[in-house]
Amino acid sequence: MSESADTRPEGAALHAPLARLLRPLVRLLVARGLTFPALTDLLRELYVNVAEHDFALPGKEQTDSRVSLLTGIHRKEVRRLRGAGAPVSAVPAVVSRTSRIIARWIADPAFTDPQGQPLPLPRTAEAGAPSFEALVAGVTRDLRPRAVLDEWLDRGLAFTDAQDRIVLAEAAYVPRGDGGAEPQLYYFGRNLHDHIAASVANILGDTPRFLERAVHYDGLSKELAAQLEARAREIAMAALQQANREAHAACATDPGGPHRWNFGLYVYAEAAPPARPADGR
């Protein structure tokens, strides 16, 4: 006999969406050798950390007993784990530097053509003229532009054309799937975090705070799915470039502060199995 909606365990409604959400993540974990015991250790740390910091009562010290009550983790384990856990917001230096240079190349009118596309850049040029050296120097003076260029050529983020100009490659927009390189894994964590965080804020808040929508069609032919995927990629890239140009220009006069903003898009298509009836038969 099935349980009614009123008698199901609290949180049971989350089981099905969580299973769907976690399945691709579990596939990645298995593929990369992160075992179930290792994952449970990480989850235990996260449960304690979230309960400690996100569910503290105003004006009251968060106790081991309350964290234990919130998480179901024994107080001895709570005491051991409080304050543990790896930093979740650290940005690798190579990622921060590279993203800032690319953002400028595709947003600053000095380095784009009239259509807003990144210009092929000579390595050096007269003062005031666009060049790869000027592009890098405008973002960081900690590294020589030649060192940055060598790194980008090696990573496939840029290439040289017949005139020996530096051309921004498509790989600069989307990190390569090269087995889990640092930049790719950083954006994997950052982008999925922000997408999930926006959805969670909308669920837990009184009213939806963030835009979080998708256009989806099922029952398509392979050809139409591929066609829509390609067209969606074009639309998405145009939107990202426009948002980047406006944000880059606005930052020039912004006094700065502790806030951050993320505008993300994704496109996905697959051969999906037929949906099962609600009764599971």
Side-chain angles (χ1 to χ4, degrees):
M1 184 170 117
S2 62
E3 295 177 303
S4 70
D6 293 332
T7 60
R8 286 182 302 176
E10 187 176 0
L14 287 172
H15 289 181
L18 275 179
R20 184 169 190 175
L21 168 70
L22 293 173
R23 185 176 182 86
L25 294 178
V26 171
R27 182 170 180 266
L28 174 65
L29 300 182
V30 173
R32 291 293 179 264
L34 187 64
T35 63
F36 179 71
L39 177 61
T40 57
D41 288 342
L42 175 60
L43 285 174
R44 192 177 292 108
E45 288 183 2
L46 287 172
Y47 260 77
V48 171
N49 187 270
V50 168
E52 179 179 3
H53 297 287
D54 295 6
F55 289 86
L57 297 175
K60 291 187 177 181
E61 181 181 356
Q62 188 72 303
T63 65
D64 293 345
S65 295
R66 185 162 190 273
V67 172
S68 177
L69 179 65
L70 289 169
T71 63
I73 298 173
H74 195 278
R75 278 182 299 174
K76 289 184 178 179
E77 277 291 277
V78 169
R79 191 176 304 113
R80 181 180 69 85
L81 293 171
R82 289 185 73 168
V88 295
S89 301
V91 182
V94 64
V95 171
S96 176
R97 182 184 67 240
T98 297
S99 64
R100 286 185 290 132
I101 296 172
I102 292 174
R104 188 183 186 207
W105 197 347
I106 61 181
D108 192 326
F111 299 97
T112 57
D113 64 19
Q115 289 72 46
Q117 298 302 310
L119 288 168
L121 299 174
R123 297 172 191 260
T124 60
E126 297 293 332
S131 69
F132 189 80
E133 184 177 84
L135 172 71
V136 175
V139 173
T140 177
R141 295 189 178 276
D142 293 336
L143 289 174
R144 294 183 299 108
R146 179 66 203 208
V148 175
L149 177 58
D150 289 343
E151 175 192 321
W152 283 26
L153 293 175
D154 182 64
R155 292 170 54 192
L157 301 182
F159 59 91
T160 56
D161 64 9
Q163 286 77 48
D164 200 34
R165 297 175 301 180
I166 314 304
V167 181
L168 187 66
E170 183 180 0
Y173 297 93
V174 182
R176 296 179 302 177
D178 53 1
E182 186 178 38
Q184 187 182 27
L185 289 178
Y186 167 73
Y187 282 112
F188 164 76
R190 179 187 176 114
N191 292 340
L192 287 185
H193 166 275
D194 287 0
H195 191 168
I196 294 172
S199 296
V200 170
N202 290 344
I203 291 172
L204 297 181
D206 295 332
T207 57
R209 176 183 175 187
F210 297 106
L211 177 65
E212 200 271 323
R213 297 287 186 271
V215 176
H216 54 89
Y217 284 79
D218 301 327
L220 307 178
S221 67
K222 179 180 179 181
E223 291 73 21
L224 179 55
Q227 177 184 334
L228 292 174
E229 179 185 351
R231 178 57 183 143
R233 185 184 296 269
E234 294 174 353
I235 295 171
M237 287 304 302
L240 288 169
Q241 291 176 8
Q242 178 64 28
N244 179 60
R245 283 193 292 269
E246 295 189 17
H248 181 83
C251 285
T253 56
D254 184 63
H259 297 274
R260 71 180 184 91
W261 163 81
N262 192 6
F263 172 64
L265 293 164
Y266 68 92
V267 179
Y268 185 68
E270 67 172 352
R276 292 189 299 176
D279 61 6
R281 292 181 294 183

